Amino acid sequence: MTYTASSFDTLPCTPGWVTSGRAENPEDVAFRSGAALSHLHLVLAQPDVPQDLLRARLVLRAAEVSITHMGRPERAADLRDAVAFLQPGDNPGPAGEVYLSWQRAVERTVSVKAVHRALPEVEADQIATWLDAGQGAPVARAAAVLQAVIEKRPRDHTATLLLADAALAQALGWSHVLPLLALGLKRTDHRTTGEELRIACHGVIAAAAVEVTREATDLARRAARLKEVAPKLRAKGADEAVALLLSRDAVAPTALTSLRSGRAARRFCDRLVELGPVRELTGRDTFRLYGV
């Protein structure tokens, strides 16, 4: 299948000197994290990057890290199942609650209110105090928030990572939280403070920014493919269904309510798998999930 050209083909690649070699001192680590963040900022500004889908994909990974830090066994497939088939009144379980917290954190413009919606057990005034805890450059501010939250809630890994990434997003002037620290901060990093913690944050952010840049480029390409085949989908409600697929990590056919029926939705998803831009994510014959 031939796909039409799109500006994702010209998305700038991360400079090789950012990813090659190993930073030998704190100055090098900080320089590389700044360069990687600057490059990521340029990539995120590209119109072909599906912002909602990118955040949804990163949220799944951030939730998986949070769950791992809690010592729980659930992984990405379990988290998808815990949330995708929820009915009103259902209990998603501890792992599902963590995943939902991350989803709520990125759904709205970053603010105290948005973070409180994701972490309702934390007082809004306390969230505001923490988000104001850091001073200086973005990574230093995020590290200061991280340390402040760890001191008060040492076992609440979800709140710690979420608030640190919220502080980073605010400092960078981004409209929404984008998980970065949550992708790579280790449990042992939570036991460090001061300069050691800042250096760890610089290293994690540098690696995560490069990783997210690759993910954004890949999703831009996948989204372009889906938009190209969309006109071939003559089902009523196809446009709304495509829009949903471009905003979520995983979609159950039952969520595609714009289509005529559950059977029509399943046929629609299977057709997209045949055409190439969508994947079936579970490997099951029933209760399937689909994603770009």
Side-chain angles (χ1 to χ4, degrees), residues 34-50:
L37 278 173
S38 179
H39 181 73
L40 175 59
H41 187 84
L42 292 176
V43 170
L44 293 176
Q46 302 300 312
D48 282 323
V49 174

Side-chain angles (χ1 to χ4, degrees), residues 48 78 120 143 147-148 152 167 174 185 196-197 202 271:
D48 282 323
D78 305 304
Q147 182 170 329
K152 293 291 186 180
W174 290 348
L185 208 66
E196 187 178 358
L197 181 59
H202 275 297
R271 177 60 174 153

Side-chain angles (χ1 to χ4, degrees), residues 30 34 55 83-84 98 109 120 123 152 187 193 198 206 219-220 223 247:
R55 287 194 292 270
V83 171
V98 170
T109 302
E123 294 291 336
K152 293 291 186 180
R187 291 183 67 178
T193 59
R198 284 194 294 275
L219 289 179
S247 67

Side-chain angles (χ1 to χ4, degrees), residues 263-284:
R263 184 179 179 183
R266 290 190 294 273
R267 288 202 306 266
F268 177 86
C269 291
D270 289 338
R271 177 60 174 153
L272 284 175
V273 172
E274 291 175 7
L275 292 171
V278 167
R279 298 168 292 172
E280 201 287 312
L281 301 172
T282 68
R284 299 186 296 239

Side-chain angles (χ1 to χ4, degrees), residues 24-65:
E24 299 295 338
N25 55 62
E27 290 78 13
D28 289 343
V29 175
F31 182 72
R32 286 192 177 186
S33 73
L37 278 173
S38 179
H39 181 73
L40 175 59
H41 187 84
L42 292 176
V43 170
L44 293 176
Q46 302 300 312
D48 282 323
V49 174
Q51 304 288 343
D52 290 343
L53 180 58
L54 176 63
R55 287 194 292 270
R57 192 61 47 84
L58 296 178
V59 154
L60 177 67
R61 291 164 60 186
E64 190 175 24
V65 171

Side-chain angles (χ1 to χ4, degrees), residues 109-196:
T109 302
V110 60
S111 64
V112 171
K113 185 176 181 180
V115 175
H116 182 53
R117 180 171 175 265
L119 301 170
E121 72 282 2
V122 183
E123 294 291 336
D125 289 346
Q126 180 64 78
I127 291 172
T129 298
W130 277 330
L131 290 179
D132 288 338
Q135 300 294 327
V139 177
R141 289 175 60 180
V145 172
L146 188 66
Q147 182 170 329
V149 181
I150 289 172
E151 289 173 355
K152 293 291 186 180
R153 301 176 73 92
R155 297 182 181 276
D156 194 343
H157 299 290
T158 301
T160 300
L161 296 170
L162 198 157
L163 280 156
D165 273 322
L168 182 65
Q170 282 190 326
L172 290 168
W174 290 348
S175 61
H176 291 72
V177 174
L178 190 72
L180 289 179
L181 284 164
L183 299 184
L185 208 66
K186 299 179 177 61
R187 291 183 67 178
T188 53
D189 294 326
H190 289 231
R191 295 193 287 271
T192 62
T193 59
E195 182 67 13
E196 187 178 358

